[in-house]
């Protein structure tokens, strides 16, 4: 059981499928460091946040009543007192992923994930991390041999971006391109600025969404 000194991580999960809610609530409530609550739609979720929040993490189903696309994420973020809110969905488009991150969302949780993976993802997001499943980042696209006409990036930045998409850290990118790690960091910072991204993960998603590579 959770010790008196350690408060459980409070999770609110909103989804309009009763079976999904029951599965999440049952699984998380059986873990000693979690306390789970549920809501069947956005309005009920917002009411719970107002009455009992903010929660350590709120997950909102992308397609449930009241969401109006990604707009519902903004509402939940506003009401949850600066604490993380993520999207729960099955197969989001690249646009949804990039927009959710741009709004300040904690990330994307796929309903197809295993429960073991779900536990790690929830812990990560509740602690302030931003999570996007690798399969959403690494969706195949046609390779380009030169800078796309709609790309604001230089050829070197495009090369760095392609390696970012493969999940390579700055040091490995530097080794592969014969660049100092500090130079790679500079390129990454420039890529993020030009694409309006907050971090390298979002930069890759935005680039794919805009068909830059």
């Amino acid at each position: 059981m959770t010790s008196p000194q350690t408060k459980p991580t409070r999770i609110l999960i909103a989804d309009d499928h009763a079976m999904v809610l029951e599965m999440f609530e049952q699984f998380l409530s059986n873990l000693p460091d979690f306390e789970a609550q549920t809501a069947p739609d956005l309005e009920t979720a917002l009411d719970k946040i107002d009455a009992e929040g903010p929660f350590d993490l709120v997950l909102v189903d992308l397609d449930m009543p009241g969401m109006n696309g990604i707009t519902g994420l903004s509402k939940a973020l506003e009401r949850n007192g600066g604490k993380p809110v993520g999207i729960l969905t099955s197969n989001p488009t690249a646009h949804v992923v990039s927009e959710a991150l741009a709004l300040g969302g904690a990330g994307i949780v796929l309903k197809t994930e295993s429960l073991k993976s779900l536990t790690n993802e929830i812990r990560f997001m509740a602690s302030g991390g931003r999570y996007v499943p690798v399969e959403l980042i690494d969706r195949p696209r046609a390779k380009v041999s030169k800078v796309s006409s709609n790309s604001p990036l230089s050829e070197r930045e495009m090369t760095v971006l392609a390696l970012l998409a493969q999940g390579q850290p700055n040091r490995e990118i530097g080794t592969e391109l014969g660049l100092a790690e500090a130079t790679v960091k500079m390129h990454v910072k420039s890529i993020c600025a030009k694409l309006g991204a907050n971090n390298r993960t979002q930069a890759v998603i935005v680039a794919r969404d805009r068909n830059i590579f």
Side-chain angles (χ1 to χ4, degrees), residues 43-213:
E43 202 58 44
T44 304
L46 296 178
D47 288 344
K48 283 204 171 195
I49 294 172
D50 290 342
E52 305 178 42
F55 288 83
D56 296 309
L57 175 66
V58 175
L59 293 177
V60 291
D61 176 36
L62 182 62
D63 300 314
M64 68 180 174
M67 280 295 288
N68 190 24
I70 210 74
T71 305
L73 174 64
S74 296
K75 293 180 180 179
L77 281 164
E78 288 172 8
R79 303 280 267 274
N80 204 39
K83 292 199 171 184
V85 180
I87 291 287
L88 183 64
T89 187
S90 297
N91 187 29
T93 64
H95 178 72
V96 164
V97 176
S98 59
E99 196 172 358
L101 293 177
L103 286 172
I108 307 290
V109 173
L110 297 179
K111 295 181 182 181
T112 52
E113 291 279 10
S114 69
L115 291 177
K116 182 179 179 182
S117 297
L118 175 70
T119 307
N120 295 330
E121 292 160 11
I122 285 179
R123 284 198 175 100
F124 181 68
M125 288 189 287
S127 66
R130 306 184 84 194
Y131 174 77
V132 178
V134 66
E135 59 263 39
L136 298 184
I137 300 171
D138 200 25
R139 284 171 168 163
R141 294 265 185 166
K143 292 184 178 179
V144 293
S145 57
K146 60 182 181 179
V147 177
S148 171
S149 60
N150 64 338
S151 171
L153 307 180
S154 68
E155 286 191 30
R156 172 62 80 186
E157 288 167 345
M158 286 291 292
T159 304
V160 171
L161 180 65
L163 295 174
L164 289 179
Q166 296 174 19
Q168 292 194 27
N170 291 343
R171 182 172 296 178
E172 288 184 14
I173 293 174
T175 299
E176 184 161 338
L177 300 180
L179 300 173
E181 188 174 354
T183 303
V184 176
K185 287 180 180 178
M186 179 188 70
H187 283 310
V188 173
K189 185 176 181 181
S190 175
I191 290 167
C192 289
K194 288 181 179 181
L195 296 180
N198 295 322
N199 54 52
R200 55 200 288 143
T201 299
Q202 189 183 353
V204 172
I205 294 168
V206 170
R208 291 191 187 281
D209 190 37
R210 290 167 56 179
N211 292 317
I212 289 174
F213 79 111

Side-chain angles (χ1 to χ4, degrees), residues 2-7:
T2 305
S3 67
Q5 291 80 21
T6 307
K7 291 183 178 180

Side-chain angles (χ1 to χ4, degrees), residues 17-28:
H17 291 90
M19 285 182 63
V20 172
L21 289 185
E22 186 177 346
M23 179 195 72
F24 275 105
E25 186 173 29
Q26 211 168 42
F27 176 72
L28 292 173

Side-chain angles (χ1 to χ4, degrees), residues 25-36:
E25 186 173 29
Q26 211 168 42
F27 176 72
L28 292 173
S29 293
N30 283 332
L31 297 174
D33 53 341
F34 284 112
E35 178 186 295

